Amino acid sequence: MILQLVRRLPRFTASPSIRVSLGMSSLVVAMLLLLDLAFGVLPDPSGITRQWRERIAENLAIQTAAFVNTGDAQPLEQVFRDQLAREKSLLAVTVERRDGQILAHASNQLRHQPRNQDAAGDDVRVPLSSAGEPWGTLHVRFERLGPRTPWQWMLHPPVLIVTALGAGSFIAFALYMRRILAHLDPSTAIPDRVRSAFDVFSGGVMILDTQGRVMLANAALRSWMGATDAERLLGRAVETVPWFGKALPAARAEHPWVRAIESGTVRENDHLEFDRDTDAPVKVIANSAPILDGAGKVRGCLVTLDNVTHLDSLNNQLLASMTALMQTKEEVERKNEELLRLATRDPLTGCLNRRALFEKLDALFIEARDRGLPLCCIMTDIDHFKSFNDRHGHAVGDQVLQSTSQRLAGALRDMDVLARYGGEEFCIVLPGVTLEQAQAVAERLRSDVEALAGSSIRSTRDLKVTSSFGLSIFEPGITDPSELIDRADQALYAAKKGGRNCVRVFDGTAEAA
């Protein structure tokens, strides 16, 4: 049970430099203690104090000898009391005759406590003699030598020296080892077969310790760096390598391997770009995997760097090619639209030509026939168009055609079809419109042409332009779209015959409705 509890306790794992420094400082302290045991190199304040106490006792013995023969103890006790007042560590002074009789005694009642008379360093005994014969003994009692409290033990010179030396040597060794380990070759700790295996990889591979220092860099990674940088890479923190540090985020916590070490999880697809100043930038994708020991604790990180510089260059070329292709496609589409417009539009008026008219009319005719929808056709002709050419020239005649087509197009829907049928004749197809609605549209178009077509021509004043309109509607008996146009054309002929500038509806007899 106890073993299980001990195993569950958190383990303190010191870094190699701390462990080495602790061992070396312990060795220094042990050597100092051995030297002190053999040669007494540490200062001994107890010995100095003991010598001082012996001198005090000798002085008191000399003064006592002067009073031995008189037998008067009063002056002697006064001498002892004066000495007690001067010497704080002095507890008691006693003169004892050889037969055990106490001749004189003085003590400090506040500080004197009974203790073992044979305790070393506490009592000093000086034999007294008279006429060459032993007479008695002078007992001088002092406070116990050495520290008595934990704080005094800590301030005791030998303890203080040993503690200071141990702590100072540990700090010095720790700083030194931390410095020196950065200059050692950490790759020697990795077997040759492991380094050879990593050198086989075409991508860059490096192994980092928990502090982010490089323990191994394979041949591919060294080739990216150059000989000088590769020699100075091992043992250094990655961010301290100048060209490597430029590719990393400013915050160390954002480095891919730092995140992998802290989280204990694999990080993938981190993009880095190494700017070598003299060479083209090296673009890589970094993948970082933490290295765990048997207890599941992170001991380092394995970082793979896939060189995608060539792939990135190919992607840029492909992107440029696709951009050029899109531009070419847009140009082709624009040309196709222009060709379609040229193939389907009348170049003078912009209306559909006859070919485009019949393509659209065929589709509308089939829809109207299959779904039973209304479909109307209007044929219109500019009245006395030849007179415009004869009196004002063909340029004015072209302007009349353009102005008339604009008036017609301006009054139609997007789904309606307007085409130049030939010469000054236009054809209009109105899907989904009844005969009454189509007749209203034709009347509105006639009115717009009469009111606006002539006045919009700035080169000739007071030019009057009118048009005649013929209207037909799809009926079940019509089997061909051209028949719908023929009926509207017959209605147009009736409008011209009936006085022009009017609307006529086909009624089967070509008479005005």
Side-chain angles (χ1 to χ4, degrees), residues 170-312:
F170 172 76
I171 294 173
F173 284 136
L175 295 176
Y176 179 74
M177 292 303 298
R178 189 169 184 175
R179 183 81 174 178
I180 201 64
L181 285 176
H183 298 281
L184 296 177
D185 184 5
S187 64
T188 56
I190 300 176
D192 290 337
R193 61 181 181 274
V194 176
R195 294 200 301 270
S196 300
F198 282 134
D199 287 340
V200 173
F201 294 112
S202 60
V205 178
M206 62 181 179
I207 295 179
L208 310 178
D209 64 4
T210 54
Q211 303 301 318
R213 293 187 294 257
V214 180
M215 300 290 103
L216 178 143
N218 73 335
L221 183 58
R222 297 195 302 271
S223 67
W224 300 347
M225 304 173 190
T228 304
D229 287 339
E231 293 170 358
R232 296 182 300 172
L233 179 66
L234 298 181
R236 295 182 60 181
V238 178
E239 61 269 16
T240 62
V241 181
W243 63 270
F244 216 131
K246 294 178 182 178
L248 298 174
R252 186 176 183 276
E254 298 297 324
H255 298 176
W257 36 88
V258 174
R259 286 191 169 186
I261 291 174
E262 291 180 351
S263 64
T265 58
V266 178
R267 284 187 56 85
E268 297 179 339
N269 299 326
D270 289 297
H271 292 261
L272 301 175
E273 181 174 337
F274 302 145
D275 188 1
R276 295 303 315 277
D277 297 332
T278 56
D279 302 328
V282 178
K283 298 182 179 181
V284 301
I285 295 178
N287 300 310
S288 307
I291 300 175
L292 308 178
D293 60 11
K297 185 176 181 60
V298 178
R299 291 298 184 181
C301 187
L302 174 65
V303 182
T304 62
L305 303 170
D306 298 327
N307 189 349
V308 295
T309 306
H310 181 64
L311 181 60
D312 185 75

Side-chain angles (χ1 to χ4, degrees), residues 150-464:
W151 180 248
Q152 289 177 342
W153 272 105
M154 291 178 63
L155 297 180
H156 194 51
V159 176
L160 192 61
I161 291 175
V162 171
T163 303
L165 181 62
S169 62
F170 172 76
I171 294 173
F173 284 136
L175 295 176
Y176 179 74
M177 292 303 298
R178 189 169 184 175
R179 183 81 174 178
I180 201 64
L181 285 176
H183 298 281
L184 296 177
D185 184 5
S187 64
T188 56
I190 300 176
D192 290 337
R193 61 181 181 274
V194 176
R195 294 200 301 270
S196 300
F198 282 134
D199 287 340
V200 173
F201 294 112
S202 60
V205 178
M206 62 181 179
I207 295 179
L208 310 178
D209 64 4
T210 54
Q211 303 301 318
R213 293 187 294 257
V214 180
M215 300 290 103
L216 178 143
N218 73 335
L221 183 58
R222 297 195 302 271
S223 67
W224 300 347
M225 304 173 190
T228 304
D229 287 339
E231 293 170 358
R232 296 182 300 172
L233 179 66
L234 298 181
R236 295 182 60 181
V238 178
E239 61 269 16
T240 62
V241 181
W243 63 270
F244 216 131
K246 294 178 182 178
L248 298 174
R252 186 176 183 276
E254 298 297 324
H255 298 176
W257 36 88
V258 174
R259 286 191 169 186
I261 291 174
E262 291 180 351
S263 64
T265 58
V266 178
R267 284 187 56 85
E268 297 179 339
N269 299 326
D270 289 297
H271 292 261
L272 301 175
E273 181 174 337
F274 302 145
D275 188 1
R276 295 303 315 277
D277 297 332
T278 56
D279 302 328
V282 178
K283 298 182 179 181
V284 301
I285 295 178
N287 300 310
S288 307
I291 300 175
L292 308 178
D293 60 11
K297 185 176 181 60
V298 178
R299 291 298 184 181
C301 187
L302 174 65
V303 182
T304 62
L305 303 170
D306 298 327
N307 189 349
V308 295
T309 306
H310 181 64
L311 181 60
D312 185 75
S313 177
L314 294 178
N315 287 338
N316 291 336
Q317 294 179 10
L318 178 61
L319 181 61
S321 299
M322 292 183 63
T323 301
L325 182 61
M326 290 297 296
Q327 293 176 349
T328 302
K329 179 183 177 183
E330 292 175 358
E331 182 66 18
V332 170
E333 290 178 350
R334 189 183 64 81
K335 293 292 185 181
N336 288 338
E337 290 177 358
E338 183 176 355
L339 290 175
L340 180 62
R341 186 182 63 81
L342 293 175
T344 59
R345 298 283 175 174
D346 175 61
L348 179 62
T349 61
C351 300
L352 295 176
N353 55 25
R354 289 187 64 170
R355 176 173 170 272
L357 168 67
F358 279 102
E359 288 181 357
K360 291 185 175 294
L361 181 57
D362 286 344
L364 294 174
F365 181 83
I366 294 174
E367 183 180 13
R369 182 191 61 191
D370 295 343
R371 300 179 57 186
L373 300 176
L375 180 66
C376 295
C377 178
I378 300 175
M379 293 294 293
T380 178
D381 188 290
I382 300 174
D383 296 332
H384 306 296
F385 177 74
K386 187 173 180 300
S387 63
F388 297 118
N389 289 331
D390 294 341
R391 285 184 295 176
H392 303 288
H394 289 279
V396 174
D398 291 343
Q399 294 179 18
V400 170
L401 286 171
Q402 293 173 344
S403 178
T404 302
S405 64
Q406 292 172 3
R407 303 288 80 76
L408 295 175
L412 297 177
R413 303 170 300 175
D414 293 338
M415 65 181 67
D416 297 334
V417 178
L418 172 63
R420 185 180 179 188
Y421 197 75
E424 69 276 14
E425 192 172 12
F426 296 89
C427 179
I428 301 171
V429 180
L430 305 175
V433 175
T434 63
L435 183 63
E436 291 76 11
Q437 293 172 335
Q439 190 172 1
V441 171
E443 185 61 37
R444 185 172 66 253
L445 294 175
R446 184 203 63 77
S447 176
D448 290 345
V449 171
E450 181 180 14
L452 303 174
S455 60
S456 63
I457 301 174
R458 303 297 183 183
S459 59
T460 304
R461 293 184 178 181
D462 301 330
L463 191 65
K464 183 174 179 59

